[in-house]
Amino acid sequence: GENVEQHPSTLSVQEGDSAVIKCTYSDSASNYFPWYKQELGKGPQLIIDIRSNVGEKKDQRIAVTLNKTAKHFSLHITETQPEDSAVYFCAAAPYGGATNKLIFGTGTLLAVQP
Amino acid sequence: GAGVSQSPRYKVAKRGQDVALRCDPISGHVSLFWYQQALGQGPEFLTYFQNEAQLDKSGLPSDRFFAERPEGSVSTLKIQRTQQEDSAVYLCASSLGIGGEAFFGQGTRLTVV
């Protein structure tokens, strides 16, 4: 089955700096890669996603890149703000195949220092 | 409703008790998922419904765990004879169709004492 690894587990940056979180996956059938932000006491919230027919996607300060050959994808947050502080999870799913479930990474705790 | 609603938000159960966790998905959402999130970990898949059909229950950790969605809307996750290792946040998510964006509820934090 699918296995998703995520690094780093913690990341501390100064306000205004960029943050990069990286994930690798194992199942070449995976074709959907969302990123979720989870604040304390809340459920995960989708912030951006990418499908395997696209190499890069950007939404304001957030971008995701996908390298399907190497089976890795990354989240880039530019001009970080204190409100970006949260736990971020990557996930992978083989949508359209035999299963419809998301496999999550172990999370990255991002702390943006003002 | 505006989002996925889960109840209760918090549940404390004595070891051996049965519990039932409820999920109200976004109206019209076909797909519904249950995930278990241990402290400091990512959510782990438990089970998946498409309308009322439970298409994947490969993540349920034991036969003490049972989920249903009888009318294709509200879902209940039942845990029988709770054990301490069942302590976790149980998350419900729904999506409009197959392969669509999954919206998560706030979760139910279960503590077994």
Side-chain angles (χ1 to χ4, degrees), chain A residues 32 36 38 41-44 46 49 51 89 95-96 99-107, chain B residues 9 31 33 35 37 40-43 45 48 56 58 91 98-102 104-106:
Chain A
Y32 176 65
Y36 284 86
Q38 188 173 29
K42 297 185 177 181
L46 181 73
D49 57 13
R51 297 185 187 271
F89 292 98
Y95 280 169
T99 183
N100 197 26
K101 62 189 177 190
L102 292 170
I103 305 299
F104 284 83
T106 49
Chain B
R9 285 294 316 277
S31 298
F33 306 82
Y35 287 84
Q37 187 174 26
Q41 299 295 316
F45 172 81
Y48 159 62
D56 188 346
S58 61
L91 294 163
I98 301 170
E101 175 184 346
F104 281 81
Q106 289 192 305

Side-chain angles (χ1 to χ4, degrees), chain B residues 4 8 18 22 29 32 44 47 58-59 67 70 74-75 82-83 94-95 107:
Chain B
V4 178
D18 297 349
R22 177 187 170 105
H29 277 198
L32 185 145
E44 291 196 0
T47 187
S58 61
V74 171
S75 178
T82 52
Q83 304 294 316
S94 70
S95 65

Side-chain angles (χ1 to χ4, degrees), chain A residues 15-65:
Chain A
E15 183 177 358
D17 287 350
S18 295
V20 180
I21 303 171
K22 298 182 178 182
C23 289
T24 60
Y25 63 99
S26 60
D27 189 350
S28 56
S30 288
N31 52 23
Y32 176 65
F33 308 92
W35 286 88
Y36 284 86
K37 175 183 181 182
Q38 188 173 29
E39 296 175 326
L40 198 60
K42 297 185 177 181
Q45 180 182 15
L46 181 73
I47 55 172
I48 196 167
D49 57 13
I50 191 168
R51 297 185 187 271
S52 61
N53 57 342
V54 176
E56 184 173 355
K57 184 176 177 181
K58 189 173 182 180
D59 183 5
Q60 298 183 357
R61 297 186 296 110
I62 296 173
V64 57
T65 58

